[in-house]
Amino acid sequence: MLYTNNNSKNEESDLLTNYVYKLRPNPTQELKMSNWVNMLRSHYNWCLNDRITQYSQQFIQGNYCDIRMQSEACPLTSCVSKNGATGEPWKMSKTDKDGKVKNPRRNPGDIQITALPELKAARPWFGGIDSTVLQQNLKRLDIAYKNFFDGRGFPKFKNRSNFTSFTFVMGVKTQGSKIYLPKLGWMRFHNSRLIPNGFTIKACAVRKRQNGWYVSVRIEDKSVPDYMTKPLKDVVKVIGCDMGITKLVHLSDGTQIENPKFSTTKKAKRTLRIRQRRVSRKAKGSKNRKKAAKRLGLFHQKISDKRQAYQWKVANKIVSRDVDAIALEDLNISGSAIR
């Protein structure tokens, strides 16, 4: 892979980027966000089970009942819709040239999104969640299915440890060190990095970590032009990067960048061993076990933050070099199947 380096002093490096801030919610807002995460996880798992049930009915138990006239039927071993076991499979808003209603089939995501009003009517507590957050929760499931068809793992049911975030795409605004989140209200945050002038907020993701809540704000500036790649004839200075084994990166000019082992040092391994032992010795379900698990999680988070900060520092060191292009080896590091 060859990436050209077109740095400019008067322009931002990215047209679309994310800024992460730590939130300072009050107790009411914190409780509300925790409830949102629990309900969204339940909704995600229910919709995943709905799609698995549809697949079982369609391809395992028997063929689906293809009703194009939308007449009522009672299939015993098959579902009416190709794409979902529940919900309306037809799109009623489409018309042809003669003005007649035509009913193309919906995809699974559309079926489940259009069923959200029915969900709120049956379970009113879901009405307290912003509608765009519920829609993004279903799109998250669509992305998981897309990754599966691209050769990665099948979507899994979520638990409390791997489902900790939700996303807004509308209605978010900032004012000084306060941010407005729909149906959560104004909330203080640590304004550690000012948003540059000209950028607008496109979306934001709220995530719960061991030491509190964080918000990742996606900002965009349409006035910044996209970078244009240089033709190969104009590329004079090139530097190559190769992933090392004992070193993190080997550069073509002979430079080697160290790979610090933040989690395997003598002090880190001792701390992890002690805190893991304290968790295992506490009674399951007890408050003391939760406290010990939180301390263990805080140490893992500290290691993760150190590793991420170091990687950003290394990336900045490489792209700041006076070169026309950066060459990277196209490696399949994860070892996943390639289609």
Side-chain angles (χ1 to χ4, degrees), residues 86-121:
T86 59
E88 174 57 52
W90 305 97
K91 189 177 295 184
M92 306 298 297
S93 59
K94 294 289 184 178
T95 57
D96 54 18
K97 296 180 180 179
D98 300 330
K100 296 181 179 179
V101 177
K102 58 179 181 179
N103 300 312
R105 289 190 182 274
R106 298 177 184 268
N107 59 47
D110 288 341
I111 291 177
Q112 292 179 338
I113 287 177
T114 53
L116 287 177
E118 300 177 6
L119 171 68
K120 294 179 181 180

Side-chain angles (χ1 to χ4, degrees), residues 35-51 86 109 111-120 123 125-126 129-141 157-158 163:
N35 291 336
W36 280 24
V37 170
N38 292 332
M39 288 189 288
L40 290 170
R41 183 180 67 251
S42 175
H43 183 231
Y44 180 97
N45 291 337
W46 189 93
C47 291
L48 175 58
N49 181 70
D50 175 56
R51 295 197 187 187
T86 59
I111 291 177
Q112 292 179 338
I113 287 177
T114 53
L116 287 177
E118 300 177 6
L119 171 68
K120 294 179 181 180
R123 296 169 175 82
W125 50 89
F126 277 93
I129 304 178
D130 183 68
S131 59
T132 61
V133 172
L134 287 169
Q135 293 171 8
Q136 291 300 313
N137 194 41
L138 293 176
K139 290 181 180 180
R140 181 176 181 175
L141 179 59
F157 291 98
K158 301 295 183 179
F163 192 99

Side-chain angles (χ1 to χ4, degrees), residues 237-283:
K237 297 180 180 180
V238 180
I239 189 171
C241 302
D242 188 16
M243 184 178 179
I245 299 177
T246 58
K247 305 292 183 180
L248 182 62
V249 179
H250 293 269
L251 302 181
S252 58
D253 60 358
T255 304
Q256 296 181 350
I257 300 177
E258 295 293 332
N259 184 17
K261 305 294 184 179
F262 296 106
S263 61
T264 56
T265 61
K266 184 177 180 180
K267 182 178 180 181
K269 289 195 294 185
R270 181 177 181 275
T271 303
L272 283 173
R273 183 170 63 251
I274 292 174
R275 296 193 181 186
Q276 288 171 348
R277 188 191 307 136
R278 288 175 178 173
V279 173
S280 62
R281 288 178 175 178
K282 300 294 188 298

Side-chain angles (χ1 to χ4, degrees), residues 127-188:
I129 304 178
D130 183 68
S131 59
T132 61
V133 172
L134 287 169
Q135 293 171 8
Q136 291 300 313
N137 194 41
L138 293 176
K139 290 181 180 180
R140 181 176 181 175
L141 179 59
D142 283 337
I143 293 174
Y145 264 94
K146 182 180 178 181
N147 293 337
F148 166 67
F149 289 115
D150 288 341
R152 279 166 275 185
F154 188 79
K156 297 180 180 179
F157 291 98
K158 301 295 183 179
N159 54 36
R160 292 183 179 181
S161 63
N162 57 20
F163 192 99
T164 58
S165 64
F166 52 89
T167 304
F168 294 91
V169 293
M170 293 179 61
V172 180
K173 52 188 176 182
T174 60
Q175 183 179 354
S177 60
K178 293 182 180 181
I179 185 170
Y180 179 80
L181 302 176
K183 294 200 174 182
L184 289 174
W186 287 98
M187 191 181 304
R188 293 185 179 275

